[in-house]
Amino acid sequence: MADDKTSKTSFQEAAQGQEQGLVAEFVQFLKENKKWWLAPILVVLLLMGALILLSGSAAAPFIYTLF
């Protein structure tokens, strides 16, 4: 029964702690689960998304000159 009380206490302490941001939580996930291969995939997806968003703006002529 002592383990149950300890786990409830640690859960309450974690719940009252400061909330982490999305990036910090993702980095913590990568560290704990040893899934570092996900990082380059996410970076490429973010860059492609930024490219798509910028292609419809005034920055489009400058982006097309890069390719």
Side-chain angles (χ1 to χ4, degrees), residues 32-54:
E32 289 179 6
N33 295 311
K34 309 266 190 286
K35 304 262 186 205
W36 289 107
W37 55 270
L38 284 173
I41 295 171
L42 183 67
V43 169
V44 168
L45 286 174
L46 290 173
L47 289 174
M48 293 297 288
L51 186 66
I52 290 170
L53 286 175
L54 291 175

Side-chain angles (χ1 to χ4, degrees), residues 4-62:
D4 189 38
K5 187 174 183 178
T6 306
S7 65
K8 284 184 182 179
T9 305
S10 63
F11 179 75
Q12 289 174 347
E13 289 173 0
Q16 292 172 353
Q18 186 174 357
E19 190 173 325
Q20 290 183 340
L22 181 66
V23 175
E25 198 169 318
F26 184 69
V27 170
Q28 183 179 0
F29 168 78
L30 292 176
K31 284 181 184 178
E32 289 179 6
N33 295 311
K34 309 266 190 286
K35 304 262 186 205
W36 289 107
W37 55 270
L38 284 173
I41 295 171
L42 183 67
V43 169
V44 168
L45 286 174
L46 290 173
L47 289 174
M48 293 297 288
L51 186 66
I52 290 170
L53 286 175
L54 291 175
S55 68
S57 68
F62 301 109

